[in-house]
Amino acid sequence: MKRIAISLAALTLGAVAAPLGALAEIAPGDVQFDDYGAVETSLTGSSGNADEGRKIMTEKSLGNCVSCHAAEAYADVPFHGEVGPWLDGAGSRWTEAELRGLVINPKKTFEGTVMPAFYKVDGFNRPGDAYTGKAAPADLPPILSAEQVEDVVAYLMTLKDE
Amino acid sequence: MKMKNTLRTVCTVRTVAALTALVLAAPAFADEDAELVINGEIEIVTKTTAPAHLEGHLDEILSGWRFRSDETQAMEMDDFDNPGMLGAEAGFEQFETVMGSEGKSCMDCHDGVESLANVRPTYPKWNDDKEAVYTIQMQINDCLTERMGAEKQKYDSKTMLNFEAALASVSRGMPVNVAIDGPAQSTWEQGKEMYYTRFGQLDLSCANCHEQNYGNMIRADHLSQGQINGFPTYRLKNAQLNGAHGRFKGCIRDTRGETFSPGSPEFVALELYVASRGNGLSVEGPSVRN
């Protein structure tokens, strides 16, 4: 698998938790999915930070997963969406590789799903520059950085069935 | 094996989610069975059988009014409480105001706004002379420039939305009935294709939110069917009248997409298609939304 140095985009987006050891990461175009949409290898080569993952999932300016998914696990956050399934127990229903694949590009697991791909930079129809309504820059960054994806995966893995 | 397991889990999970989310997400919920009567006399159809062209997509069509909170719903039930009616009043005044080099007002050609009550229900509509589908705002601009010698007004400008509000107000209670066949058909098809096209980095179509998920919460927003029978709408969020194209623009922007401009041929086609999804609902504008 081809590894590249951290891109400028990833640096800006990854501002939440500055990487210390992560020097190489897998670019959006180089991600390898298995036949079921799972992604075996960590995008950063290391495991993520679950606390950061929770923040990313519940903050509007970051992953904003809460806009579609509810969970007891983050019941303190107001206004849970109902577009996607309840996420409690996701860490028991899925393996880490499957969850990574789901966050990177859920269309590989659920064909035609409304859930967006969070680590994908091309193949869109009229992509915009975030929420400005203007055209995307040529080097459109993924919605979440490699590190943020790993943080989210780490948090999802803590959502075990009782 | 993985996939099968997954699908089963997701189904159970969905049901639980639907029930529990009601508890967690608690912005004021609308009474979805309430009926809308304005000023105690104008009966508004906010729920009816879907038009035939929606077969396989929707059985029932619902006005956005049904998805709003009790308080927002109530504001639309009385013209004194509906801030959008101020825009309509301004529209009535504009109608009688002389504009442009010809020294004419709309009244020189039309017998009052009431005489145009069949306009809001049937627009966008094919214009034979111009050989194009015309929205109300396009028609008003033709009257202003070609008959009155007046300046063209900007799409979705305050002046335009006031005119639209006045025209809508006199049609309240009449069923939306835009023509989708004949010469308008290809524009309608274009709008339909747009409605089912996914836009932006979030890769979402109008249908993903307003057909597949109406009734569901998306964060604090209660998703409606995205109908435009209530336009122009007075939104509490920006405290002014809003046009349908402005709404389309906002929704495409929210997909992390590059939007289109109000008045663009794309939005004219989309307006015709979205209007046709509401054929049978009553004209309700100027409505109140959040």
Side-chain angles (χ1 to χ4, degrees):
Chain A
M1 213 167 279
K2 195 178 137 212
R3 302 207 164 213
I4 58 147
I6 291 178
S7 68
L8 195 60
L11 270 179
T12 342
L13 276 169
V16 179
L20 284 174
L23 292 172
E25 61 183 38
I26 299 168
D30 296 330
V31 175
Q32 301 284 328
F33 297 87
D34 75 10
D35 291 348
Y36 301 99
V39 176
E40 217 47 67
T41 323
S42 161
L43 296 177
T44 58
S46 48
S47 43
N49 174 333
D51 290 341
E52 285 302 328
R54 187 187 204 268
K55 224 183 271 173
I56 293 161
M57 286 190 54
T58 53
E59 272 179 33
K60 189 169 181 190
S61 59
L62 300 169
N64 199 20
C65 313
V66 63
S67 70
C68 290
H69 293 282
E72 285 293 350
Y74 46 80
D76 55 306
V77 178
F79 307 137
H80 293 194
E82 312 174 274
V83 172
W86 205 245
L87 288 183
D88 293 296
S92 301
R93 285 192 290 282
W94 305 88
T95 65
E96 184 186 301
E98 287 166 342
L99 289 171
R100 184 177 292 112
L102 273 167
V103 178
I104 293 173
N105 183 357
K107 275 124 192 158
K108 304 274 186 184
T109 304
F110 298 108
E111 203 189 326
T113 184
V114 304
M115 177 165 155
F118 287 86
Y119 197 65
K120 183 168 178 275
V121 294
D122 49 21
F124 302 114
N125 184 22
R126 292 179 75 88
D129 186 359
Y131 293 103
T132 62
K134 301 207 163 64
D139 56 343
L140 177 71
I143 298 172
L144 296 179
S145 68
E147 193 184 9
Q148 288 174 320
V149 170
E150 293 305 327
D151 291 345
V152 167
V153 171
Y155 178 64
L156 289 171
M157 285 302 288
T158 69
L159 304 182
K160 301 285 190 196
D161 282 332
E162 298 300 301
Chain B
M1 176 232 174
K2 275 185 195 171
M3 275 307 278
K4 274 190 207 123
N5 264 342
T6 306
L7 288 176
R8 209 175 337 108
T9 333
V10 168
C11 290
T12 352
V13 168
R14 251 182 208 287
T15 328
V16 180
L19 291 173
T20 340
L22 280 173
V23 184
L24 266 183
F29 258 89
D31 173 0
E32 281 177 39
D33 292 319
E35 295 297 339
L36 174 55
V37 180
I38 297 173
N39 299 335
E41 58 179 14
I42 312 172
E43 289 179 16
I44 303 287
V45 174
T46 55
K47 175 181 180 174
T48 190
T49 312
H53 71 82
L54 282 177
E55 202 188 316
H57 293 279
L58 290 178
D59 295 333
E60 194 172 60
I61 49 174
L62 302 160
S63 160
W65 181 82
R66 291 214 168 223
F67 297 83
R68 306 283 59 98
S69 69
D70 290 347
E71 301 77 56
T72 310
Q73 286 189 339
M75 291 178 79
E76 209 183 299
M77 300 176 88
D78 190 317
D79 284 355
F80 287 108
D81 299 328
N82 180 345
M85 286 309 289
L86 295 173
E89 274 166 37
F92 277 94
E93 268 168 43
Q94 287 170 197
F95 202 85
E96 296 175 8
T97 307
V98 173
M99 296 180 210
S101 57
E102 304 301 302
K104 288 182 185 159
S105 77
C106 311
M107 292 294 277
D108 281 276
C109 297
H110 304 284
D111 211 4
V113 181
E114 289 81 1
S115 73
L116 297 171
N118 63 339
V119 170
R120 178 67 280 178
T122 55
Y123 271 68
K125 186 180 178 179
W126 179 255
N127 179 319
D128 266 332
D129 290 343
K130 299 295 158 77
E131 298 196 348
V133 166
Y134 253 49
T135 62
I136 291 182
Q137 295 194 31
M138 289 161 79
Q139 179 57 53
I140 292 174
N141 260 335
D142 275 11
C143 291
L144 285 170
T145 57
E146 295 173 17
R147 297 175 197 247
M148 298 161 75
E151 291 283 307
K152 193 176 168 190
Q153 295 294 317
K154 208 168 160 259
Y155 216 92
D156 273 2
S157 60
K158 194 168 179 187
T159 309
M160 274 302 184
L161 294 173
N162 288 344
F163 272 132
E164 268 202 359
L167 284 164
S169 72
V170 298
S171 308
R172 287 180 296 175
M174 292 169 70
V176 175
N177 183 24
V178 297
I180 65 173
D181 51 3
Q185 193 181 339
S186 64
T187 308
W188 181 82
E189 301 279 0
Q190 187 196 337
K192 179 176 180 181
E193 194 182 317
M194 256 184 102
Y195 194 87
Y196 289 98
T197 297
R198 289 171 181 251
F199 289 105
Q201 197 172 10
L202 295 183
D203 210 23
L204 293 169
S205 68
C206 313
N208 285 152
C209 286
H210 294 296
E211 185 172 293
Q212 283 173 251
N213 279 296
Y214 72 85
N216 283 332
M217 298 300 296
I218 186 159
R219 198 81 202 241
D221 285 316
H222 195 199
L223 281 168
S224 72
Q225 289 184 344
Q227 297 282 2
I228 54 173
N229 60 305
F231 277 79
T233 61
Y234 180 89
R235 291 188 66 187
L236 302 171
K237 186 178 167 179
N238 59 11
Q240 62 184 26
L241 284 175
N242 294 263
H245 292 199
R247 201 29 138 141
F248 298 164
K249 184 178 170 186
C251 283
I252 293 189
R253 181 199 59 216
D254 287 348
T255 67
R256 283 179 173 256
E258 177 188 0
T259 72
F260 300 88
S261 303
S264 62
E266 289 85 0
F267 276 169
V268 172
L270 188 61
E271 182 182 339
L272 173 59
Y273 177 68
V274 178
S276 79
R277 293 175 67 96
N279 272 353
L281 291 172
S282 296
V283 170
E284 193 192 300
S287 65
V288 185
R289 301 287 187 263
N290 50 333

